[in-house]
Amino acid sequence: MSNDTLRDLSQNPLVQKLGVPRIPVLRRHKPGAPLLAGPALVGAIGAGRFADSIHALLEDAGVTDAGEEGKVAAVVLDATAARTLDDLAAVARFLTPAVKRLAPGGRLLVLSPEAGASDVEAAAVAQAFDGLIRSAGKEVRAGATANLLTAAPDAPPAAVDSSVRFFLSARSTYVDGQVVRVGTPVGPAQDPVGMDDPHDVDHPLAGRVAVVTGAARGIGAAIAATLARDGATIVAVDIPAAGEALARVANTAGGTALQLDITAPDAAERLIAHVQERYGKVDVVVHNAGITRDKLLANMDADRWNAVMAVNLRAQLAINAALLDSDVLSDTGRVVCVASTSGIAGNRGQSNYAASKAGVIGMVRALAPKLAERGATINAIAPGFIETEMTAKMPLGTREAGRRINSLRQGGLPVDVAETVGWLGQAESGGVTGQVVRVCGQSLLGA
Ligand code: NAD
């Protein structure tokens, strides 16, 4: 049993007979499991630049091509050549019969062109994909998802590989209705994961050192465990008061624990010294530590405001500035900042928290070009309703509302956020930077 009783009950045919719709049990990644549970239908509009490399990636992963009929585990359409409304009509002609064939838990992934400024019809068509895919996300059923990769005109075919793999896999189970831009990868060219040894697909973070703040519990502990599972060495950071839990997380992950209040004036210095001494470099920095101090704006006091800003935003700004000033971040550095859908949609009683999380998104966008100069990326992940100790303590009505107002009609798990961190943390994900990816099951809030 999970802590989502309604979803568990809804699996029972007798309960379904009472008119309770079945809430899907989502497929989650298991090491060694195939990328897809069935065949894939792959199409292209015109001269699809990415179709060949997607075919090669699927073949490498042992995925078969779908025939003319029958259920498919994924539909992938390279529509990056679409420029006109006629092209867009061809997209609809391909997708209409294709989505009918999508199996439970299936994946719809479309690659679209980036809007340019010169050709107005092409710009309109490029933006049209946004509405198309977000609507498809709301229509596909039984745990299926729909996402869009917008490819920059100069992005080489291999730039999308790690993203295609993520969005097709069970790792992206709670990522739905998202639009992610993929550009020319920053930094040195990367060997595609799994090309030499297909088993490496299970260890896409092999040899990488990852710092995770707020790692003692909740989402941070899941990030530490998931990145370690994928091959990373973990530096688990949390406040001294969480020392015991932190040591457990670090031991299980096989890394080191660093007791550190990230708001301390010397926090960035100590963090950098720790990784420099132990490992000589850091590849992935995950800013996950965060706090809430909810109060209506009309009653907000300076302590609540400042405490939230200090942990959620000021500390991230200081650590990122120190990383930029040092040479500890490797030339495939990946910074991942945990924001929140509250920072996108706003939330009653959370003006301080939402401001801090929206601030994280602003920081990510401003830092992306600076980090790109050093071959590094920075992205934000905005979780929606995630089943944690925090959400378990909510009053039943608020909790139920939070859980159900998304396309997958359930909350996500900490591991769903962690898997998304893992994708962005790969050396191979250098084409994705300055993006905000919501892990929210396509929540109606902030959509
Ligand atoms: P949590 O409270 O369970 O864990 C947060 C961790 O951060 C704790 O271990 C805490 O000790 C640590 N921490 C707090 N202040 C710190 C400091 N000054 N220095 C070092 N560590 C510190 O929270 P969670 O639910 O796991 O959330 C993790 C992140 O995800 C947060 O940034 C949160 O805002 C964000 N988030 C959570 C949800 C959700 O539904 N749980 C939704 C959206 C966003």
Side-chain angles (χ1 to χ4, degrees):
M1 285 289 268
S2 67
N3 49 1
D4 186 345
T5 315
L6 184 60
R7 192 198 61 191
D8 295 341
L9 282 173
S10 79
Q11 309 308 316
N12 185 327
L14 289 174
V15 176
Q16 286 164 24
K17 270 199 184 138
L18 295 174
V20 177
R22 184 166 181 268
I23 298 169
V25 175
L26 302 180
R27 187 168 65 99
R28 288 197 165 80
H29 176 72
K30 290 194 187 74
L35 180 70
L36 287 171
L41 181 63
V42 182
I45 300 301
R49 269 183 312 132
F50 297 92
D52 284 351
S53 68
I54 291 169
H55 274 295
L57 181 155
L58 292 174
E59 204 183 308
D60 199 39
V63 177
T64 53
D65 265 341
E68 296 292 310
E69 277 171 28
K71 290 284 175 202
V72 296
V75 173
V76 187
L77 177 65
D78 178 358
T80 51
R83 298 287 178 275
T84 66
L85 284 174
D86 288 344
D87 295 339
L88 199 57
V91 169
R93 276 200 305 279
F94 174 85
L95 291 180
T96 295
V99 290
K100 283 202 188 93
R101 297 175 59 187
L102 207 55
R107 298 283 182 261
L108 171 60
L109 183 64
V110 175
L111 282 75
S112 68
E114 189 171 34
S118 53
D119 180 337
V120 176
E121 184 173 348
V125 166
Q127 189 66 30
F129 282 93
D130 210 275
L132 171 66
I133 219 66
R134 290 179 199 272
S135 301
K138 293 179 181 187
E139 291 178 10
V140 291
R141 302 233 152 255
T145 62
N147 291 286
L148 185 68
L149 292 177
T150 298
D154 53 354
V160 299
D161 282 2
S162 71
S163 303
V164 168
R165 212 180 275 115
F166 172 71
F167 280 107
L168 293 186
S169 74
R171 295 173 192 261
S172 65
T173 208
Y174 201 61
V175 184
D176 195 7
Q178 295 305 290
V179 179
V180 174
R181 179 189 184 272
V182 184
T184 303
V186 298
Q190 299 305 312
D191 285 340
V193 171
M195 286 310 272
D196 301 331
D197 173 5
H199 299 293
D200 267 5
V201 172
D202 272 335
H203 299 108
L205 300 173
R208 291 173 77 68
V209 176
V211 167
V212 183
T213 69
R217 66 178 205 196
I219 294 171
I223 295 171
T226 303
L227 301 192
R229 180 204 67 193
D230 284 357
T233 300
I234 305 298
V235 177
V237 179
D238 213 301
I239 50 173
E244 234 171 84
L246 184 68
R248 270 197 304 275
V249 168
N251 284 341
T252 313
T256 53
L258 175 62
Q259 293 187 9
L260 180 72
D261 179 342
I262 57 165
T263 65
D266 62 349
E269 202 183 311
R270 284 185 52 204
L271 180 62
I272 288 173
H274 179 93
V275 288
Q276 202 121 46
E277 279 160 25
R278 304 282 174 122
Y279 310 102
K281 62 151 189 177
V282 59
D283 301 290
V284 185
V285 176
V286 188
H287 293 293
N288 163 77
I291 61 168
T292 51
R293 295 285 183 273
D294 293 0
K295 204 78 181 168
L296 292 176
L297 180 58
N299 303 323
M300 183 66 66
D301 52 87
D303 284 352
R304 280 190 171 80
W305 182 271
N306 293 334
V308 166
M309 284 297 162
V311 179
N312 297 8
L313 185 53
R314 211 183 275 278
Q316 291 199 27
L317 283 165
I319 292 170
N320 290 338
L323 285 173
L324 271 171
D325 278 347
S326 81
D327 55 7
V328 75
L329 195 61
S330 77
D331 64 0
T332 58
R334 305 283 176 255
V335 182
V336 183
C337 307
V338 179
S340 165
T341 48
S342 290
I344 299 170
N347 201 12
R348 188 173 186 277
Q350 290 200 317
S351 59
N352 52 353
Y353 179 77
S356 73
K357 295 298 190 178
V360 165
I361 293 171
M363 173 191 69
V364 161
R365 291 188 177 135
L367 276 177
K370 291 188 201 302
L371 283 160
E373 287 169 19
R374 315 175 40 145
T377 65
I378 181 164
N379 292 286
I381 293 179
F385 185 96
I386 305 295
E387 303 280 358
T388 58
E389 282 169 44
M390 182 185 87
T391 47
K393 284 188 192 123
M394 284 177 167
L396 182 66
T398 320
R399 187 166 72 234
E400 266 306 292
R403 263 182 191 151
R404 305 295 166 214
I405 51 161
N406 60 72
S407 294
L408 299 170
R409 289 178 291 135
Q410 59 195 290
L413 300 183
V415 71
D416 300 331
V417 180
E419 299 281 13
T420 310
V421 173
W423 155 54
L424 294 170
Q426 291 176 33
E428 219 193 347
S429 297
V432 183
T433 193
Q435 302 297 292
V436 182
V437 183
R438 287 180 294 130
V439 182
C440 65
Q442 198 178 26
S443 170
L444 297 182
L445 295 179

